[in-house]
Amino acid sequence: MRAARLFAYDKPLKIVDVDTPRVKKSAEVLVRITGAGVCHTDLHIVEGVWDEKVRPTLPYTLGHENAGVVQEIGEGVTAVKEGDRVILHPVVTDGFCRPCRIGEDMHCENLVFPGITADGGFAEYLVTSERSLVKIHDLKPEDVAPLADAGLTAIRAVKKAASRTTSGSHVVVQGVGGLGHIALQLLRCMTNTVVTALDVSESKLRLAEKMGAHHVVDARKDPVAQVMALTQKRGADIVIDLVGNDQTLANGMKMLHKGGSLVIVGYGGTLNLRAIDMIFAEMSVLGSLVGNWDELRELIELTRQGKIRVITKKGKLDEVNDFLQQLKKGILEGRGVVIP
Amino acid sequence: MRAARLFAYDKPLKIVDVDTPRVKKSAEVLVRITGAGVCHTDLHIVEGVWDEKVRPTLPYTLGHENAGVVQEIGEGVTAVKEGDRVILHPVVTDGFCRPCRIGEDMHCENLVFPGITADGGFAEYLVTSERSLVKIHDLKPEDVAPLADAGLTAIRAVKKAASRTTSGSHVVVQGVGGLGHIALQLLRCMTNTVVTALDVSESKLRLAEKMGAHHVVDARKDPVAQVMALTQKRGADIVIDLVGNDQTLANGMKMLHKGGSLVIVGYGGTLNLRAIDMIFAEMSVLGSLVGNWDELRELIELTRQGKIRVITKKGKLDEVNDFLQQLKKGILEGRGVVIP
Amino acid sequence: MRAARLFAYDKPLKIVDVDTPRVKKSAEVLVRITGAGVCHTDLHIVEGVWDEKVRPTLPYTLGHENAGVVQEIGEGVTAVKEGDRVILHPVVTDGFCRPCRIGEDMHCENLVFPGITADGGFAEYLVTSERSLVKIHDLKPEDVAPLADAGLTAIRAVKKAASRTTSGSHVVVQGVGGLGHIALQLLRCMTNTVVTALDVSESKLRLAEKMGAHHVVDARKDPVAQVMALTQKRGADIVIDLVGNDQTLANGMKMLHKGGSLVIVGYGGTLNLRAIDMIFAEMSVLGSLVGNWDELRELIELTRQGKIRVITKKGKLDEVNDFLQQLKKGILEGRGVVIP
Amino acid sequence: MRAARLFAYDKPLKIVDVDTPRVKKSAEVLVRITGAGVCHTDLHIVEGVWDEKVRPTLPYTLGHENAGVVQEIGEGVTAVKEGDRVILHPVVTDGFCRPCRIGEDMHCENLVFPGITADGGFAEYLVTSERSLVKIHDLKPEDVAPLADAGLTAIRAVKKAASRTTSGSHVVVQGVGGLGHIALQLLRCMTNTVVTALDVSESKLRLAEKMGAHHVVDARKDPVAQVMALTQKRGADIVIDLVGNDQTLANGMKMLHKGGSLVIVGYGGTLNLRAIDMIFAEMSVLGSLVGNWDELRELIELTRQGKIRVITKKGKLDEVNDFLQQLKKGILEGRGVVIP
C-alpha cells in the first residue's frame, strides 16, 4: 500500500510503497483509512521537536487523526464488525493499568501513539486495537477525521474550562486554526460563557465569528489591553492557548482574573512563571493532552447532533506536503484532510 | 495599646503605642489578641516583596495569624458573643460578591487583609468582621493562632492534593517549617497517600518523621534522584512546594509523574515552564492562596479531634523581631507565636 | 398597603389593608414588589399541606416569587442601592452558618421563608435582607418574578441532571407547567442531552415543543411504554418529576435505566421504594429544594443572554384567587404573575 | 473438581463433582480458588429473592467473593501471570461499553456475575476474565476474599458518604456484620467524620467499637431517639443501611439532618417515601451496588497499608451450609470464608 513517510527531519514526507499491515492479535482491527487530518504536530515532528520526547526510528509513517472503515477484525473482537465506519482514538492503550481503568486513556502506562511513536494513518490501512475505535454511524470518515486529535484536544481543553466557570464567565481562545474553530463551537454548546477569540489573521477572525465567538480580537494589536477592555478591566476567567509560543503564553497569564486558569494546548514556547504571581491571585496553569475515549465518543455525539462541524479542505495522499506548507504559513482555514 | 509596626522596609518592627481600635459598624467585632503567629510572609513584607502587589502605607501593624477572645460586638452581630474564644480568618470580606456567595472568601472582590494591607494582629486588639471569625471552643488561642494562615494555607494545598490522588498515590512536601509540619499531619488524616518530606535541615527531617512522613529526603543531596528512587522511577503524583525558590520549583516539576500537579505555596522564585513539558505529560501547576472560612472551620474541627497539633514557640510581643530573625535563619521549629 | 392574605385553610385569599413594613435593621432592604408569581405551593399552602411542616400563624400574606425595585436600604447595606431592580431569593438566611458559608443558602440553619413561614410578596412592599437580592439590571421585575422560585427550582433540578449525564443521555421531564417550561429551556442550554417532556394536556405538549423538548409524550397513554420505546428499551438516565403524585413517582422509577436518578421536585404523593430495586440497578432518588443565591444569579444571566424566557400571564393583585383556580384546573400556561 | 451448588430454592447447597472449567478465550484466566466468602446475598439467593431479577438456571455453583492463585492464562493475557495471587472483581465485564470505559464496571451493559448469574467460586477453580483481576501481592487469598464483595460494597457506600460530608459530619452505620465491620474501618481512614454504629447484638456492638466506631447504639431500644440524642437533635448527615429491612429503612430516614442521604446497601425491605419529605429537607436516597475495579484496587492498597483488616472465620467447602445457617441466625462475627 502507499504511505507518506518521514525519512529525515526538516525534509518533505515521501510517498512510498510499504507492506499492508495485517491483523495478528485477537483484539486487533484493520482499518481502511479514508480520512487523515494534517496537524501542527506533524509539522513539529518534521522539525524534530518530538525527537527528544519519543525518539522514533526513521523512516516511519505520520498521521494521527484517522478515520475509515473496518476491513478485518481479530477473532476476539466484539465491539465493531467489518464495514463499520469508525474514528480512531489517537492512542493504543493496554486497558489494564489504573489510568485505563478509570477512563484516562491518554495516561496509559503502556501506550503507543501511531503517527508519533509508530506508523500512522497517512496510508491506505492501519492496524489498531478494538479499544481505540469509536463508531461514527452515518457520518463520513473524511468529514470527521480531524476530531480524532484536533477535536479531541479541543474538547478536553473546553471541558477544563467548563468545569472552572459558570454562566457569564469569560473565556479567551488564542488561535483559530484546526483546533480553535472546533473549540469555539464546543464552548458555545457546552458552556454559557462569553467567548473571545484571538488570532493574527483577519480571515481567521471572520471564521471565529462564524463559529460562535462573541468577540474577536486582532492579536497583532496589544491583545492584553483589548481583552482587559472587553472584560471591564476584570480579565478572563480562562485562557485556552492553542498557539503556545512565548508571546501567547506570557499574554495569556496577563489576561487572567483572580482565580483564573491558563490552559496550555499549543507548544513550542516557554512561560516564565513567578511563584508570587501564582499564589497572589491563586492562578492555575493546566497542560492539556488530547483526550480520552469517552471524550471522543462525546464529540461524535455532538457532531451527530449538528452542534459541531469541522471545516475541512480535502486532498489526495500526495498533497500531504502541500497541506504541511499551508499550515506552516498559517493560510489553511480549518483542517486539511488527506484521503489515502 | 501596644503594637509591633513596620516603619521602613528592611528594618526591624518597632513596638509602639497606638490608639486601641473600636467597633464602629454593626457587623464588627473587637478581639483581644492573645496569640499571633509569625510567618514567612511577615519576613517578605519587611523585605518589601509585597510592596508591588499591595502598596501598603507605612507605618502599619503586621500580624495576620491571629486568635483571641471577643471583647466587644457590633449591634448586628449574632454569630459570636463577648468572651468567645475565636480564631480570625485572615481576610475581611464583603459577603456579597459571587466568590463570597460560593464560599471562596479569598477571592472576594473587595477584601481587606489585616497585617498585609491594613493593621494586623501584632497588637493587643484588632477589629474584624463577624464573617471572619471561627469559634475555637475549648482550644487556646495561643496554641492555634498559626492555623489562621500557616494551617489554612496547608489545608487548602492538601485538599488540592487529596482531590487529585487516590489511596497509594505519592505526595512530596518541600519544606518542613510552619506550614510543612501541619501539611504532613493533614496529609495523614485526609488522605491514604504515601508522604515524603524534603528539607535541608536534619532537625526538620526528624520533625517530619514525628509529624507522619513515611519517607524523608535530605534536599541537599540530589532530591530529584532520591524521590525517583523512592517511587521506583515513577515520580510523585503531587509535589507541594512550601519553599518556592528557583531550585525547589524546578526540582518539583522534575519529580512529577505523568498527570501530576505542582502545588505552589511558597514564593520568591520563578519557574521556567516549557509548554511541551506541560502538554506531553499533561501536568498542572496550581497556585494556592490561604483558604476559605469553611477550611478554617475544618482545621479547628481536626485540631479538636486531636489529629492536628501545631508546634509553637511562644514569646512576648517584644520578641517578634527575634522570631523573624530565627525564621530567616531557618532555625525556628514549628511556628513562633507572640502573645500581645 | 394592600396584601393578599390567607385567613383560613381551603378559603380564598382576602385582599386587605395592612401596615407597610419598614427597614429596621442595618442589613435590611425594603422592596416595592412589582411582580409576584403564583405557584403550586401557594395552592398547597391554602390546602393546608404545609401546616405540618412549618405551622404558620394565620392570617399571613402569601407570595414567595417576588421581584421589584429597591425602595429603601438599611444603613449597612452595600450590595444594592435605591432604585435598583431586583429579584428576591426566596429565603432570608443568616449568612454565618456552615451551609451559608459554603453557598447552600437553602440549608441555612436559621432561615425564614417569606410567603411560607412569614409574610410574603402578594403585597405592595416586602422587607428582606441584602443577602437575598440579585440585581436584574435591564430586565423587568414582572417578567422575571417566577424565576425566584419556579425558575430557581428548575435550575437546581436541571443541574442535578447535568452533573449525572453526558452528551447524548436521555432526560425525561414530567409536567410542563410553570417549572417545566423553564426546565426544558435550561436542559437545552445547560446540557447536550436528549429531552422528552410528559404532560396530560395537549396544549402543554405543544408548549414543550416550543420550549425545546426533542420528544413529547401524552402521559395519559402508558407513558412508561412510550419512554421505553423512545429510548430503544434502554430507559432514561434521569427523570425530573415536577408533578410528584403517586402515579408520576411510580412511573418515574420504571422509566429509569441502570444507574439512573429520579429527581423529585413536585410533591403530594408517596413512592414505594423496594431496597432491592434501588441496589440492583444502583438507582438514586434525589429531593430538590428551590436553589441557592448563585443559581438565581446564573438564571438571571441566562435570561439576559436570551436563553431563558418565562411565559407569564399578568394580572392585578385582586386576580390572585383566579390564578390559583386556573392553576388547580391545570389550564394556566406558563406562570401567573400578579403586579401589586 | 468439587463445588457447592444450588439445586433447589430453600434447600442446602450440595457438594458435588463437576468438570473443572478451562481457559477457552484469549483474555480468560483460570484461578484456583483458595478463599471464598459466604455472603448474605447467598442466603437471599437460596431463599429465591434473586429469581425475579436474574432468573438463573438451577443447579449452579454459588460464591461471588473469590480470591486465589492464577493457574493458567489465555494467550492474550498480559496483566497477570501464573502463580500470581489475585482477588476477583465480582463481575465479568465487556470492557468496551461506555460504563466500562469511564470505569463504572458494575454498570457494564453486558456483565456476567459469577455466583449469581453463572457458576461461582464455591469450587476449586473458576475461569474469569483478565479484566476482573486485582493482584494482592503478599496478602493471603483466604484473608482477603471477603473484600471482593463485602469490602467492595462497603468502600463504595463509604465513598458516597465521604463525598457528601466534611470533617465533623455524623455518619450512622446500621448493621455490624460482614460489611459493617469493614465499613467502620473505612469511615475511619477515609473520612474525619463522627461514626455511630447500630446493631441488635451486644457482641457486634463490641466489635464495632474495636473497628473504630465513636458511638454504638443498641438498635433494639428506640435507635432514632438515641441517634438524635447523640447528635444534639440535629440528626445524622449520612445513614448507611447495611440491613435494608422495613424498619431500618424507615428509621434511617428519620435519623437524617436536612440535606442528608440514606445510602441503601442491604435489601429485602421497602421504604415508603413521601415526596414532601424528600423536597422539604432536600434528602437523597442512594442505592449502592458493589463497586468498580479501581475501588477494589484501593481496598487492597488500604489492606496492605494495614488500615483495613477483615475478621474471618475459615472453614472447608463442606462447611458452607453451616456458615449460611450462622449468617441467618446473625451469630457469625465478621465473615465466613470457605477454602475449597
Side-chain angles (χ1 to χ4, degrees):
Chain A
M1 67 172 188
R2 298 175 72 230
R5 291 166 72 84
L6 177 69
F7 281 78
Y9 291 121
D10 297 314
K11 298 285 180 190
L13 305 186
K14 288 188 194 169
I15 316 295
V16 295
D17 268 310
V18 295
D19 287 346
T20 299
R22 311 188 54 170
V23 168
K24 286 174 193 158
K25 294 185 187 162
S26 171
E28 286 182 346
V29 177
L30 178 69
V31 179
R32 181 160 53 84
I33 302 298
T34 61
V38 182
C39 172
H40 243 101
T41 287
D42 293 315
L43 258 188
H44 285 315
I45 293 171
V46 172
E47 293 162 359
V49 171
W50 282 86
D51 190 49
E52 68 159 301
K53 289 287 184 195
V54 299
R55 305 226 165 269
T57 309
L58 306 195
Y60 74 120
T61 306
L62 300 197
H64 56 273
E65 274 189 358
N66 306 310
V69 180
V70 173
Q71 181 83 5
E72 191 189 331
I73 61 175
E75 62 178 16
V77 170
T78 58
V80 294
K81 61 179 196 305
E82 246 185 78
D84 281 347
R85 292 179 181 184
V86 291
I87 189 164
L88 283 73
H89 187 276
V91 295
V92 177
T93 57
D94 68 11
F96 299 110
C97 61
R98 179 173 187 259
C100 279
R101 290 310 285 258
I102 63 170
E104 285 302 354
D105 310 76
M106 293 308 303
H107 293 189
C108 173
E109 310 273 357
N110 298 294
L111 66 76
V112 176
F113 207 139
I116 296 187
T117 69
D119 284 338
F122 291 159
E124 292 172 65
Y125 295 94
L126 185 60
V127 166
T128 185
S129 149
E130 182 178 18
R131 270 182 63 79
S132 300
L133 298 176
V134 173
K135 287 192 217 175
I136 62 172
H137 305 277
D138 49 337
L139 299 174
K140 291 183 188 163
E142 63 270 29
D143 289 342
V144 298
L147 294 178
D149 178 38
L152 189 52
T153 302
I155 198 173
R156 189 164 180 96
V158 166
K159 291 182 92 160
K160 290 187 184 192
S163 69
R164 288 166 173 82
T165 53
T166 181
S167 301
S169 297
H170 203 114
V171 178
V172 166
V173 175
Q174 294 184 302
V176 188
L179 277 78
H181 84 288
I182 304 174
L184 293 171
Q185 296 174 72
L186 287 166
L187 282 165
R188 289 307 305 276
C189 74
M190 300 185 87
T191 76
N192 293 293
T193 57
V194 179
V195 180
T196 295
L198 273 68
D199 206 294
V200 294
S201 140
E202 189 57 34
S203 68
K204 291 194 173 170
L205 295 178
R206 293 297 77 78
L207 176 63
E209 286 170 335
K210 271 185 251 163
M211 297 293 111
H214 295 96
H215 307 285
V216 298
V217 164
D218 185 334
R220 290 165 300 189
K221 302 171 191 162
D222 196 349
V224 176
Q226 287 188 73
V227 167
M228 283 298 153
L230 280 170
T231 57
Q232 290 78 49
K233 303 196 178 167
R234 201 183 161 278
D237 298 285
I238 303 280
V239 173
I240 301 177
D241 187 350
L242 304 174
V243 179
N245 64 33
D246 290 357
Q247 194 59 51
T248 57
L249 291 166
N251 285 347
M253 283 303 291
K254 287 182 201 149
M255 286 169 191
L256 286 173
H257 184 64
K258 191 151 58 169
S261 298
L262 173 66
V263 182
I264 300 182
V265 178
Y267 54 92
T270 296
L271 177 61
N272 290 306
L273 204 59
R274 293 201 313 157
I276 195 171
D277 293 340
M278 287 298 281
I279 67 112
F280 181 66
E282 200 165 43
M283 299 295 192
S284 301
V285 179
L286 310 167
S288 196
L289 175 63
V290 201
N292 60 37
W293 185 93
D294 190 52
E295 287 163 343
L296 185 53
R297 176 207 59 78
E298 189 168 11
L299 208 46
I300 294 299
E301 169 70 26
L302 293 171
T303 306
R304 295 182 76 204
Q305 291 182 12
K307 290 173 183 163
I308 299 300
R309 188 171 56 94
V310 189
I311 309 288
T312 56
K313 188 171 172 187
K314 285 153 193 158
K316 297 181 184 163
L317 186 55
D318 311 73
E319 296 171 61
V320 64
N321 289 307
D322 295 340
F323 281 133
L324 286 170
Q325 281 309 306
Q326 290 170 40
L327 207 54
K328 193 165 194 173
K329 291 179 191 154
I331 58 174
L332 194 60
E333 240 176 61
R335 199 69 157 185
V337 173
V338 296
I339 304 180
Chain B
M1 68 173 186
R2 298 175 73 230
R5 290 166 73 84
L6 177 68
F7 281 78
Y9 291 121
D10 296 315
K11 300 283 179 188
L13 304 186
K14 288 188 195 170
I15 316 296
V16 296
D17 267 309
V18 295
D19 288 346
T20 300
R22 310 186 56 170
V23 168
K24 286 175 194 157
K25 293 186 187 162
S26 171
E28 286 182 346
V29 177
L30 178 69
V31 179
R32 181 160 53 86
I33 301 299
T34 62
V38 182
C39 172
H40 243 102
T41 287
D42 293 315
L43 259 189
H44 285 315
I45 293 172
V46 172
E47 293 161 0
V49 171
W50 282 86
D51 190 49
E52 68 159 300
K53 288 288 184 194
V54 299
R55 305 229 166 265
T57 309
L58 306 195
Y60 75 120
T61 307
L62 300 198
H64 57 272
E65 273 190 359
N66 307 312
V69 180
V70 171
Q71 181 82 5
E72 192 190 331
I73 61 174
E75 62 178 16
V77 170
T78 57
V80 293
K81 60 178 197 304
E82 246 185 79
D84 280 349
R85 291 179 181 185
V86 291
I87 189 166
L88 283 73
H89 187 277
V91 296
V92 177
T93 56
D94 68 11
F96 298 109
C97 61
R98 179 172 188 261
C100 279
R101 291 309 287 257
I102 62 170
E104 285 301 354
D105 310 76
M106 293 309 302
H107 293 189
C108 172
E109 310 274 356
N110 298 294
L111 65 76
V112 176
F113 206 139
I116 296 186
T117 70
D119 284 337
F122 290 160
E124 292 172 65
Y125 294 94
L126 184 61
V127 166
T128 186
S129 148
E130 182 177 17
R131 270 181 63 79
S132 299
L133 298 177
V134 173
K135 287 193 218 174
I136 62 172
H137 305 277
D138 49 337
L139 299 174
K140 292 183 186 161
E142 62 270 28
D143 289 343
V144 298
L147 295 178
D149 179 39
L152 189 53
T153 303
I155 198 173
R156 189 164 180 96
V158 166
K159 290 181 93 161
K160 291 188 184 192
S163 69
R164 288 165 172 83
T165 53
T166 181
S167 300
S169 297
H170 203 115
V171 178
V172 167
V173 175
Q174 294 184 303
V176 188
L179 276 78
H181 84 287
I182 304 173
L184 293 171
Q185 297 174 71
L186 287 166
L187 282 165
R188 290 307 306 276
C189 73
M190 301 185 85
T191 76
N192 293 293
T193 57
V194 179
V195 180
T196 295
L198 273 68
D199 207 294
V200 294
S201 140
E202 188 58 35
S203 68
K204 291 192 174 172
L205 294 178
R206 294 296 77 76
L207 176 63
E209 285 170 335
K210 272 186 250 162
M211 298 293 111
H214 296 96
H215 306 286
V216 299
V217 163
D218 184 335
R220 289 165 300 190
K221 302 170 190 162
D222 197 347
V224 176
Q226 288 188 72
V227 168
M228 283 298 154
L230 281 171
T231 58
Q232 290 78 48
K233 303 198 177 166
R234 203 183 160 278
D237 298 284
I238 302 282
V239 173
I240 301 178
D241 186 350
L242 304 174
V243 179
N245 64 33
D246 290 357
Q247 193 60 50
T248 58
L249 291 166
N251 284 347
M253 284 303 291
K254 287 182 201 148
M255 287 170 192
L256 286 173
H257 184 63
K258 191 151 59 170
S261 298
L262 174 66
V263 182
I264 300 181
V265 178
Y267 54 92
T270 296
L271 177 60
N272 290 305
L273 205 58
R274 293 201 313 158
I276 195 171
D277 293 340
M278 287 298 282
I279 68 112
F280 181 67
E282 200 167 43
M283 299 297 191
S284 301
V285 179
L286 310 168
S288 196
L289 175 63
V290 200
N292 60 37
W293 185 93
D294 190 52
E295 287 162 343
L296 185 53
R297 177 207 59 78
E298 189 169 10
L299 208 45
I300 294 299
E301 169 70 25
L302 293 171
T303 306
R304 295 182 74 202
Q305 290 182 12
K307 290 172 183 165
I308 299 299
R309 187 170 55 93
V310 189
I311 309 288
T312 56
K313 189 172 170 186
K314 284 154 195 159
K316 296 181 184 162
L317 186 55
D318 311 73
E319 297 172 62
V320 64
N321 288 308
D322 295 340
F323 281 133
L324 287 170
Q325 281 309 307
Q326 290 171 41
L327 206 55
K328 193 164 193 173
K329 292 179 190 152
I331 58 174
L332 194 61
E333 239 176 61
R335 198 69 157 185
V337 172
V338 296
I339 304 181
Chain C
M1 66 172 188
R2 299 175 70 229
R5 289 166 74 83
L6 177 70
F7 280 78
Y9 290 121
D10 295 314
K11 300 283 180 191
L13 304 185
K14 288 188 193 168
I15 316 295
V16 296
D17 267 310
V18 295
D19 287 347
T20 300
R22 311 187 54 170
V23 168
K24 287 175 193 156
K25 294 184 187 164
S26 171
E28 286 182 347
V29 177
L30 178 69
V31 179
R32 181 161 51 85
I33 301 299
T34 61
V38 182
C39 173
H40 243 101
T41 287
D42 293 315
L43 258 187
H44 285 315
I45 292 171
V46 172
E47 293 162 0
V49 171
W50 282 86
D51 190 48
E52 67 158 302
K53 289 287 185 195
V54 300
R55 304 228 167 267
T57 309
L58 306 194
Y60 75 121
T61 307
L62 300 197
H64 56 273
E65 274 189 358
N66 307 311
V69 179
V70 172
Q71 182 83 6
E72 192 191 331
I73 61 174
E75 62 177 18
V77 170
T78 57
V80 294
K81 59 178 196 307
E82 246 184 78
D84 279 348
R85 293 179 179 185
V86 290
I87 189 164
L88 282 73
H89 187 277
V91 296
V92 177
T93 56
D94 68 11
F96 298 109
C97 61
R98 182 175 184 258
C100 279
R101 290 310 287 256
I102 63 169
E104 285 301 356
D105 309 76
M106 293 308 302
H107 292 190
C108 174
E109 310 274 357
N110 298 293
L111 66 76
V112 177
F113 206 139
I116 295 186
T117 69
D119 285 336
F122 289 159
E124 292 172 66
Y125 294 95
L126 184 61
V127 165
T128 186
S129 148
E130 182 178 18
R131 270 182 63 80
S132 300
L133 298 176
V134 173
K135 288 191 217 175
I136 62 171
H137 304 277
D138 49 335
L139 299 174
K140 291 183 186 162
E142 63 270 29
D143 290 342
V144 297
L147 294 178
D149 178 39
L152 190 52
T153 303
I155 198 173
R156 190 164 179 97
V158 165
K159 290 181 92 160
K160 290 187 184 192
S163 69
R164 289 165 171 83
T165 53
T166 181
S167 301
S169 297
H170 202 115
V171 179
V172 167
V173 175
Q174 293 184 303
V176 188
L179 276 78
H181 84 287
I182 303 174
L184 294 171
Q185 297 174 72
L186 287 166
L187 282 164
R188 291 306 306 275
C189 73
M190 299 185 87
T191 76
N192 292 293
T193 57
V194 180
V195 181
T196 295
L198 273 67
D199 206 295
V200 294
S201 140
E202 189 57 35
S203 68
K204 291 194 173 171
L205 295 178
R206 294 297 77 75
L207 176 63
E209 287 171 334
K210 271 186 251 161
M211 297 293 112
H214 296 96
H215 307 287
V216 298
V217 164
D218 185 335
R220 291 165 299 190
K221 302 170 191 163
D222 196 348
V224 176
Q226 287 188 74
V227 168
M228 284 298 157
L230 280 170
T231 57
Q232 290 78 49
K233 303 197 177 168
R234 202 183 161 279
D237 298 284
I238 303 280
V239 173
I240 300 177
D241 187 350
L242 303 174
V243 179
N245 65 33
D246 290 357
Q247 196 57 52
T248 57
L249 291 166
N251 284 348
M253 283 304 290
K254 287 182 202 147
M255 286 169 192
L256 285 173
H257 184 65
K258 190 151 59 170
S261 298
L262 174 66
V263 182
I264 301 182
V265 178
Y267 55 92
T270 296
L271 177 61
N272 290 306
L273 204 59
R274 294 201 312 157
I276 195 171
D277 293 341
M278 285 298 281
I279 67 112
F280 181 66
E282 201 167 41
M283 299 296 192
S284 301
V285 179
L286 310 168
S288 196
L289 174 63
V290 202
N292 60 37
W293 184 92
D294 190 51
E295 287 162 344
L296 185 53
R297 176 207 60 77
E298 190 168 10
L299 208 46
I300 295 299
E301 169 70 26
L302 293 170
T303 307
R304 295 182 76 202
Q305 289 183 14
K307 290 172 182 164
I308 300 300
R309 189 171 54 95
V310 190
I311 309 288
T312 56
K313 188 172 172 185
K314 284 153 195 158
K316 296 182 184 162
L317 186 56
D318 311 73
E319 297 172 61
V320 65
N321 288 308
D322 296 341
F323 280 133
L324 286 171
Q325 281 309 307
Q326 291 170 42
L327 207 55
K328 194 165 192 171
K329 291 180 192 154
I331 59 174
L332 194 61
E333 239 176 61
R335 198 69 158 186
V337 172
V338 295
I339 304 181
Chain D
M1 66 172 187
R2 300 174 70 230
R5 290 166 72 85
L6 178 70
F7 281 77
Y9 290 121
D10 296 313
K11 299 284 179 190
L13 304 187
K14 288 188 193 169
I15 315 296
V16 297
D17 267 310
V18 295
D19 288 346
T20 299
R22 309 187 54 170
V23 168
K24 287 174 193 158
K25 294 185 187 164
S26 171
E28 285 182 347
V29 176
L30 178 69
V31 179
R32 179 161 53 86
I33 301 298
T34 61
V38 182
C39 172
H40 244 100
T41 287
D42 293 314
L43 260 188
H44 286 314
I45 293 171
V46 172
E47 293 162 0
V49 171
W50 282 86
D51 190 48
E52 68 159 302
K53 289 288 184 195
V54 300
R55 305 229 166 266
T57 310
L58 307 194
Y60 74 121
T61 307
L62 300 197
H64 58 272
E65 274 189 357
N66 307 312
V69 180
V70 172
Q71 181 82 6
E72 193 191 330
I73 61 175
E75 62 178 16
V77 171
T78 57
V80 294
K81 60 180 194 305
E82 245 185 79
D84 280 348
R85 293 179 178 184
V86 290
I87 189 164
L88 282 72
H89 187 276
V91 296
V92 177
T93 56
D94 68 11
F96 298 110
C97 60
R98 182 174 184 258
C100 280
R101 289 310 286 256
I102 63 170
E104 286 301 354
D105 310 76
M106 294 308 303
H107 293 190
C108 173
E109 310 274 357
N110 298 294
L111 65 77
V112 177
F113 206 140
I116 295 185
T117 69
D119 285 337
F122 291 159
E124 293 172 68
Y125 294 94
L126 184 61
V127 165
T128 186
S129 148
E130 181 178 16
R131 270 182 64 79
S132 300
L133 299 175
V134 173
K135 287 192 217 175
I136 62 172
H137 305 277
D138 48 336
L139 299 174
K140 292 182 186 164
E142 62 271 28
D143 290 341
V144 297
L147 294 178
D149 179 39
L152 190 52
T153 303
I155 198 173
R156 189 164 179 96
V158 166
K159 290 181 91 160
K160 290 188 184 193
S163 69
R164 288 165 171 83
T165 52
T166 181
S167 300
S169 298
H170 203 115
V171 178
V172 167
V173 174
Q174 293 183 303
V176 187
L179 276 77
H181 84 287
I182 304 173
L184 293 171
Q185 297 174 73
L186 287 166
L187 281 164
R188 289 307 305 275
C189 73
M190 299 184 87
T191 76
N192 293 294
T193 57
V194 180
V195 180
T196 295
L198 274 68
D199 206 294
V200 294
S201 140
E202 189 58 34
S203 69
K204 290 193 174 172
L205 294 178
R206 293 297 77 77
L207 176 63
E209 286 171 334
K210 271 185 250 161
M211 297 294 113
H214 296 95
H215 307 286
V216 299
V217 164
D218 185 335
R220 291 165 300 190
K221 302 171 191 163
D222 197 347
V224 176
Q226 287 188 74
V227 168
M228 283 298 154
L230 280 171
T231 57
Q232 291 78 49
K233 303 196 178 169
R234 203 183 160 277
D237 298 284
I238 302 281
V239 173
I240 300 177
D241 187 350
L242 303 174
V243 180
N245 64 34
D246 290 357
Q247 195 58 52
T248 57
L249 291 166
N251 284 347
M253 283 304 289
K254 287 182 202 148
M255 287 170 192
L256 285 174
H257 183 65
K258 190 151 58 168
S261 298
L262 174 66
V263 182
I264 300 182
V265 178
Y267 55 92
T270 295
L271 176 61
N272 289 306
L273 205 58
R274 295 201 312 156
I276 194 171
D277 293 340
M278 287 298 281
I279 67 112
F280 181 67
E282 201 167 42
M283 298 296 192
S284 301
V285 179
L286 310 168
S288 196
L289 174 62
V290 202
N292 59 37
W293 185 93
D294 190 52
E295 287 162 343
L296 186 53
R297 176 206 61 77
E298 190 169 9
L299 208 45
I300 294 299
E301 169 70 26
L302 293 171
T303 306
R304 296 181 75 204
Q305 290 182 12
K307 290 173 182 163
I308 299 299
R309 188 171 56 94
V310 189
I311 310 287
T312 56
K313 188 171 173 186
K314 284 152 195 159
K316 296 181 184 164
L317 186 55
D318 311 74
E319 297 172 61
V320 65
N321 288 308
D322 296 339
F323 280 133
L324 286 171
Q325 282 309 307
Q326 291 170 41
L327 207 54
K328 194 165 193 172
K329 292 180 190 153
I331 58 174
L332 193 61
E333 237 174 63
R335 199 70 158 184
V337 172
V338 296
I339 303 181

